[in-house]
Amino acid sequence: VFNTKTGALQFVILVKSFQFKKTAMQEHFNQKEYMHSDLFPKSEFKGTITDLSKVDFKKDGTYPVSVEGNLTMHGVTNKIKTNGTV
């Protein structure tokens, strides 16, 4: 979900949807010792694009942006700041 007026952004991803070139890597990633995807099947980000003025929604293109928010993975939520592309 993305609000183009406020920059609010939220998404959920299924942990098992990550794909690896080698089957063994994917199996290890989903095991209890790593992501434990049976117990924690989803990861979620809720945040805001902090420099929304860089994006011209009337013009097709890609725009570098900064985001801040809460990332929840493996049942743990942390505040993050990172860069992305819209």
Side-chain angles (χ1 to χ4, degrees):
V1 177
F2 177 52
N3 184 319
T4 58
K5 292 183 181 7
T6 66
L9 170 67
Q10 179 178 351
F11 64 86
V12 176
I13 188 165
L14 295 174
V15 174
K16 287 187 178 181
S17 70
F18 285 91
Q19 295 183 356
F20 297 82
K21 289 182 180 182
K22 297 187 179 193
T23 305
M25 290 174 67
Q26 191 160 341
E27 290 171 1
H28 290 291
F29 178 79
N30 287 294
Q31 288 178 345
K32 184 177 179 181
E33 295 78 20
Y34 293 96
M35 292 301 290
H36 201 177
S37 58
D38 287 333
L39 184 61
F40 305 103
K42 300 175 188 174
S43 291
E44 179 178 35
F45 177 79
K46 290 182 184 178
T48 305
I49 294 176
T50 57
D51 52 357
L52 193 60
S53 62
K54 288 184 174 181
V55 182
D56 183 353
F57 292 105
K58 295 177 183 173
K59 184 178 178 184
D60 285 344
T62 58
Y63 301 91
V65 294
S66 298
V67 296
E68 291 182 16
N70 293 315
L71 177 64
T72 302
M73 293 177 67
H74 204 258
V76 177
T77 301
N78 287 299
K79 287 192 174 289
I80 66 162
K81 280 183 170 183
T82 192
N83 298 319
T85 304
V86 173

